[in-house]
Amino acid sequence: MHTDVKEILFTSEQIKGRIQELGRQINADYRGKMLVLVGILNGVKPFLNDLLSTLNLPVSHDLIELSSYGQSTVSSGTVHVLKDVALDISGKDVLLVEDIVDTGLTLHTAIEHLRSRKTGSLKTCALLNKQTRRSVAITPDYYGFTIPDLFVVGYGLDYAENYRELPYIGVLKINK
Ligand code: IMP
């Protein structure tokens, strides 16, 4: 375990197992349809890749980037679109994929942004859900795990661009 990590919340095996379950649910819900997955950069990459590999639907994917926390563990309260989707998503069934939903501001901003592109159906999927921290009333349609109010790293999640490479999700020692 990394010396900056206090505790492992989910091992690589637990994460992969839960993503298989999410994939089965998404395959069933979108059977006979084409799906566009739109991932929110940067932390979503491992989750998006592993989720894609569980899907047996005609699927395409794209990425969107929103302003992040930078060097902080608390949200600044405003979110901007830094990189837009390149695919034409008008009229398409879109699943917005995020690594972790905390205050909900990022997901909310991304939803509003994609709606302005006149998507068909629009649902959301997050690996981690910090439900108690919400400032926007929003719950992802699909999510892997609910976690308490702790700052976590690994499996794509960073603190100041560090720890993304860890194969597990762990609690950072800076948490009180
Ligand atoms: P929200 O806008 O407050 O919901 O924050 C969502 C974004 O903040 C996520 O996509 C992550 O990039 C980042 N974030 C929130 N909580 C954590 C955490 O515990 N570890 C790492 N990044 C986090």
Side-chain angles (χ1 to χ4, degrees), residues 40-52:
I40 305 178
L41 286 169
N42 275 312
V44 81
K45 284 178 184 171
F47 177 42
L48 183 66
N49 285 338
D50 287 339
L51 187 62
L52 277 167

Side-chain angles (χ1 to χ4, degrees), residues 40-43 68-69 73 75 79 98-107 128 130 133-134 147 150-153 157-159 164:
I40 305 178
L41 286 169
N42 275 312
S68 71
Y69 289 10
T73 60
S75 170
V79 182
E98 191 175 27
D99 48 8
I100 180 167
V101 186
D102 186 18
T103 63
L105 277 171
T106 303
L107 194 59
L128 301 176
K130 274 193 214 174
R133 290 254 316 154
R134 283 306 188 283
I147 64 164
L150 294 168
F151 199 82
V152 293
V153 294
L157 291 162
D158 75 308
Y159 172 63
R164 289 194 198 276

Side-chain angles (χ1 to χ4, degrees), residues 2-73:
H2 195 292
T3 50
D4 295 347
V5 170
K6 190 159 65 177
E7 177 196 353
I8 294 178
L9 279 189
F10 304 108
T11 64
S12 173
E13 292 70 27
Q14 287 171 320
I15 298 166
K16 301 274 160 72
R18 183 70 185 114
I19 294 173
Q20 291 286 337
E21 291 175 359
L22 288 175
R24 276 197 287 277
Q25 206 182 334
I26 294 166
N27 282 326
D29 292 353
Y30 288 91
R31 185 169 298 130
K33 295 184 175 168
M34 289 171 66
L35 183 60
V36 183
L37 261 54
V38 175
I40 305 178
L41 286 169
N42 275 312
V44 81
K45 284 178 184 171
F47 177 42
L48 183 66
N49 285 338
D50 287 339
L51 187 62
L52 277 167
S53 72
T54 68
L55 300 181
N56 52 30
L57 306 159
V59 64
S60 54
H61 69 279
D62 202 347
L63 294 161
I64 187 173
E65 185 171 9
L66 303 175
S67 54
S68 71
Y69 289 10
Q71 303 236 335
S72 169
T73 60

Side-chain angles (χ1 to χ4, degrees), residues 62-135:
D62 202 347
L63 294 161
I64 187 173
E65 185 171 9
L66 303 175
S67 54
S68 71
Y69 289 10
Q71 303 236 335
S72 169
T73 60
V74 265
S75 170
S76 63
T78 47
V79 182
H80 309 281
V81 178
L82 300 177
K83 182 209 167 293
D84 206 346
V85 275
L87 288 178
D88 178 7
I89 55 170
S90 63
K92 305 275 172 63
D93 290 312
V94 175
L95 184 62
L96 189 54
V97 185
E98 191 175 27
D99 48 8
I100 180 167
V101 186
D102 186 18
T103 63
L105 277 171
T106 303
L107 194 59
H108 174 75
T109 307
I111 288 170
E112 294 297 303
H113 182 68
L114 294 190
R115 280 210 181 114
S116 74
R117 294 285 183 278
K118 308 268 181 277
T119 62
S121 71
L122 179 58
K123 285 193 182 182
T124 55
C125 176
L127 180 62
L128 301 176
N129 183 21
K130 274 193 214 174
Q131 188 71 46
T132 54
R133 290 254 316 154
R134 283 306 188 283
S135 59

